[in-house]
């Protein structure tokens, strides 16, 4: 790498400042700037950690509230089993209904309208 490339890389990383004065470029870096940048980043990360901890506590409280009334009783487990069997039956019925979809009068009408739109518009004007 040339010196110019290294300097540009440092400027891009905000480790070195650059100012154009006249026809010359002046580069400088203060040790306190790097320290300030690190402190700022540390504060930002600490804030993120704090926010995450608060969110975790809030979510744990929400989970505890959601668990109320969902204790594992016999009645609840039987209702869950019944719900599961009804869902399975619904899925089977929907699959069977899909088999007979081609014979649905509304679908047949839509198919005929889409295949002969001009004919139907002429016939509907009579």
């Amino acid at each position: 790498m040339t010196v110019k490339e290294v300097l540009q890389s440092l400027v891009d990383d905000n480790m070195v400042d650059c100012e154009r004065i006249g026809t010359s470029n002046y580069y400088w870096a203060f040790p306190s700037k790097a320290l300030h940048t690190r402190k700022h980043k540390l504060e930002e990360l600490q804030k993120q950690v704090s926010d995450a901890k608060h969110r975790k506590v809030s979510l744990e409280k929400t989970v505890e509230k959601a668990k109320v009334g969902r204790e594992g009783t016999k009645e609840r487990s039987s209702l869950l089993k019944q719900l599961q069997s009804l869902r399975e039956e619904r899925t089977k019925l929907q699959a069977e209904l899909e088999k007979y979809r081609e014979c649905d009068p509304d679908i047949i009408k839509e198919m005929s309208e889409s295949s002969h739109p001009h004919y139907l518009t002429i016939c509907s004007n009579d």
Side-chain angles (χ1 to χ4, degrees):
M1 289 182 112
T2 65
V3 173
K4 187 175 182 179
E5 291 172 346
V6 171
L7 279 172
Q8 187 59 45
S9 173
L10 291 171
V11 169
D12 292 342
D13 293 340
N14 291 325
M15 297 176 74
V16 173
D17 292 315
C18 176
E19 188 73 33
R20 183 171 184 97
I21 302 174
T23 59
S24 302
N25 288 331
Y26 291 90
Y27 298 92
W28 71 92
F30 296 112
S32 61
K33 182 179 179 184
L35 178 64
H36 176 70
T37 303
R38 279 190 235 117
K39 280 185 180 180
H40 180 70
K41 183 69 173 174
L42 179 63
E43 290 171 0
E44 184 180 313
L45 291 173
Q46 286 174 338
K47 184 179 183 302
Q48 288 178 359
V49 167
S50 174
D51 291 346
K53 284 181 181 177
H54 288 298
R55 186 165 185 260
K56 179 186 173 196
V57 169
S58 173
L59 290 172
E60 286 174 346
K61 287 180 183 177
T62 304
V63 167
E64 289 302 318
K65 286 180 184 177
K67 284 183 179 179
V68 173
R70 293 187 177 196
E71 292 81 17
T73 62
K74 290 181 181 180
E75 180 185 1
R76 185 173 193 285
S77 62
S78 68
L79 288 174
L80 287 173
K81 287 179 184 177
Q82 183 181 2
L83 176 65
Q84 182 62 30
S85 67
L86 289 173
R87 284 182 176 166
E88 290 172 0
E89 182 180 350
R90 179 176 174 242
T91 304
K92 289 177 185 176
L93 290 174
Q94 284 178 336
E96 188 175 339
L97 184 63
E98 193 63 34
K99 288 180 190 176
Y100 300 114
R101 183 176 173 91
E102 295 173 359
C103 298
D104 185 5
D106 294 332
I107 301 296
I108 293 172
K109 185 177 179 182
E110 278 182 34
M111 290 172 59
S112 65
E113 286 176 2
S114 66
S115 64
H116 302 292
H118 182 66
Y119 175 73
L120 291 175
T121 55
I122 292 172
C123 293
S124 64
N125 288 336
D126 289 341

